[in-house]
Amino acid sequence: MRKANSEQISNAINNFKLCGEVRGAIPYGNGHINDTFKIITVDEDGNEHLYILQSVNNNVFKKPEQVLANIESVTEYLKGVVESPREVLVLAKTFSDLTYYKDKDGYFWRIYDFVTDSICLDRVENTDDFYECALAFGKFQKYLTDFPADTLYETIPDFHNTPKRYENFLKAVQEDKMGRAASVKEEIEFVKARADFYSVLLDSNKEGKLPLRVSHNDTKSNNVMLDSTTRKALCVIDLDTIMPGFSVTDFGDAIRFGASTAEEDEKDLSKVNMDIKMFEIYTKGFLDGCDGQLPDSEIMLLPEGAKMMTIECGMRFLTDYLEGDTYFKTHYPEHNLDRCRNQFKLVADMENKWDEMKKIVKAYCKE
Ligand code: ADP
Ligand code: GN1
Ligand code: MG
């Protein structure tokens, strides 16, 4: 991913219809995927306007125009169904009336209105914040219940197709490009021992128990803006990975990340557990947000969503380790292996707490 210079940045901005004259563009946020800038403009009356400019990562997203098309159709739809305009991101248009500008080097740029008086959290600090994040992602599901999910592009094919991820994993073990397989036998066995589990969500979909919906696919807390005064959820951001998918994987990825008692790469596995209290809070927030839109069969699969996202993520880290660390950014040689062990510990802890997890979600079923 190229690091844009100031000329490329101003050239991009100049293609968008914004209020007033640009006074500054400063690098912004802690995102891992896009290059993000805060833009300040001042209009004729001296009023300041704020925007977020982003250059789309074309390494992760091979067809950025499809990413923008998904975002445009979802945000347009959301505008018509949200309770407050602050709940939806607003894309700026270029002078050619497009939601993106493609520069001469082929990089895609877009601008959103800045969500003012808001914060987002890299890690939630308390249960209230976690509840608010859950509520935001639950409402996202509610608002998009009637959106035709199959009209969206699959911008990263088979993103949460766990059986496919398992196939790729087995291939990586067999090829053993880096000669690392012998040293991670235990981890390989952990993945193989759960082979029967990987198709559970896709099978439930085929059986009609888990409908295809719009999924966000990056449900971390730093993708929810909270009101800086009230700390109530305002809106969901980072819409790049919106695709057809399952509600339970959005729920699950948030649990994987936010209900863990440790960072994703904590090496001391005794510190890595799933906090059942946090699981309970997120379940409540998510289902409050969904507001009755999920049938019981789908609610009952929330624990499967959590375990699936965690084992899948661990499997992806291990696959990347076996293949030579080419996908995830690593900061030291065994980084992916530590992350994988961390995720597997979390899976094991979920398995120990399985009955409790099922009991918690069951309490939200109508029957
Ligand atoms: P990435 O995919 O790199 O995580 P994001 O779209 O999440 O990119 O943006 C990175 C950060 O920029 C966010 O975590 C948030 O702090 C900030 N941000 C993004 N969009 C907005 C917005 N519309 N208003 C205010 N801040 C924003
Ligand atoms: C990647 O870049 P980041 O941290 O938002 C990955 C997710 C993984 C996550 C694990 C597009 O997300 O699927 O769960 O790392 N995103 C992509 O940390 O592959
Ligand atoms: Mg983000």
Side-chain angles (χ1 to χ4, degrees):
M1 176 79 180
R2 169 194 76 168
K3 194 108 208 101
N5 63 33
S6 54
E7 198 186 319
Q8 289 158 338
I9 295 167
S10 12
N11 171 48
I13 299 172
N14 290 336
N15 280 278
F16 286 87
K17 293 186 261 186
L18 303 181
C19 284
E21 278 183 26
V22 179
R23 293 293 160 86
I26 39 177
Y28 194 76
N30 293 324
H32 296 305
I33 301 289
N34 299 310
D35 257 359
T36 302
F37 306 89
K38 180 179 183 175
I39 309 292
I40 304 154
T41 67
V42 176
D43 66 22
E44 286 167 354
D45 303 324
N47 298 317
E48 215 176 61
H49 300 267
L50 300 176
Y51 299 92
I52 282 282
L53 167 75
Q54 291 180 315
S55 155
V56 181
N57 186 325
N58 59 4
N59 207 10
V60 172
F61 300 102
K62 305 293 178 203
K63 294 179 179 165
E65 60 276 53
Q66 295 191 349
V67 171
L68 265 304
N70 280 354
I71 298 177
E72 191 177 349
S73 59
V74 167
T75 52
E76 275 305 311
Y77 182 91
L78 281 174
K79 265 193 230 165
V81 292
V82 289
E83 289 153 21
S84 144
R86 288 194 90 193
E87 287 184 278
V88 52
L89 280 180
V90 178
L91 279 166
K93 289 267 175 83
T94 64
F95 289 101
S96 327
D97 251 353
L98 294 172
T99 52
Y100 62 83
Y101 166 66
K102 186 177 176 185
D103 71 19
K104 63 175 173 32
D105 303 313
Y107 287 85
F108 282 68
W109 298 80
R110 56 140 182 269
I111 291 184
Y112 289 116
D113 284 357
F114 194 92
V115 181
T116 50
D117 306 315
S118 68
I119 52 163
C120 70
L121 306 167
D122 285 321
R123 273 195 82 79
V124 290
E125 289 154 25
N126 55 52
T127 49
D128 289 350
D129 291 340
F130 202 41
Y131 175 84
E132 287 301 318
C133 293
L135 191 67
F137 283 115
K139 280 187 170 187
F140 183 79
Q141 280 302 329
K142 173 178 105 170
Y143 292 143
L144 294 167
T145 302
D146 294 327
F147 184 96
D150 56 358
T151 60
L152 293 172
Y153 293 106
E154 207 183 340
T155 47
I156 305 179
D158 295 315
F159 193 52
H160 285 320
N161 182 337
T162 314
K164 196 75 166 258
R165 297 275 186 192
Y166 182 54
E167 262 176 45
N168 295 344
F169 160 79
L170 291 176
K171 193 163 149 263
V173 173
Q174 208 196 1
E175 287 178 0
D176 194 17
K177 266 188 219 157
M178 310 297 290
R180 290 173 167 176
S183 64
V184 292
K185 274 200 187 118
E186 211 180 305
E187 289 75 13
I188 292 172
E189 284 316 309
F190 189 93
V191 179
K192 287 187 175 170
R194 286 155 183 81
D196 288 347
F197 177 68
Y198 304 137
S199 65
V200 163
L201 299 180
L202 292 175
D203 291 346
S204 300
N205 170 255
K206 281 187 207 130
E207 291 160 15
K209 293 184 198 151
L210 185 64
L212 195 71
R213 296 184 184 269
V214 179
S215 57
H216 179 281
N217 291 311
D218 195 358
T219 48
K220 284 184 230 168
S221 60
N222 64 6
N223 289 327
V224 178
M225 306 306 294
L226 305 178
D227 185 293
S228 47
T229 315
T230 63
R231 273 182 114 96
K232 296 284 176 209
L234 287 176
C235 76
V236 163
I237 61 164
D238 205 344
L239 308 177
D240 295 322
T241 45
I242 285 182
M243 279 181 258
F246 302 134
S247 63
V248 301
T249 57
D250 270 4
F251 171 89
D253 208 36
I255 295 297
R256 178 191 78 73
F257 194 80
S260 173
T261 51
E263 301 277 331
E264 195 179 63
D265 55 0
E266 172 62 55
K267 289 187 213 199
D268 179 352
L269 299 184
S270 69
K271 293 185 181 155
V272 185
N273 288 299
M274 190 205 58
D275 184 334
I276 194 79
K277 185 87 199 115
M278 292 296 252
F279 179 85
E280 189 163 13
I281 298 279
Y282 202 90
T283 302
K284 174 159 177 34
F286 191 73
L287 294 176
D288 282 353
C290 288
D291 199 15
Q293 291 301 325
L294 305 194
D296 289 353
S297 59
E298 205 169 353
I299 294 177
M300 282 312 290
L301 287 167
L302 292 172
E304 276 80 357
K307 181 173 157 186
M308 193 70 78
M309 287 301 90
T310 313
I311 187 100
E312 183 191 276
C313 194
M315 196 194 301
R316 289 171 66 194
F317 288 140
L318 185 54
T319 304
D320 201 31
Y321 180 70
L322 292 167
E323 288 178 340
D325 308 306
T326 57
Y327 186 88
F328 295 104
K329 283 181 196 155
T330 50
H331 303 304
Y332 56 88
E334 309 268 278
H335 204 165
N336 269 323
L337 182 56
D338 286 339
R339 288 170 175 150
C340 135
R341 289 178 171 148
N342 174 305
Q343 298 295 292
F344 292 170
K345 168 64 202 297
L346 205 52
V347 170
D349 193 49
M350 287 179 188
E351 288 171 349
N352 287 333
K353 294 172 178 160
W354 197 246
D355 293 345
E356 277 177 275
M357 290 162 78
K358 282 282 180 184
K359 199 170 150 209
I360 288 168
V361 301
K362 179 93 179 68
Y364 290 91
C365 290
K366 289 154 212 101
E367 284 176 20

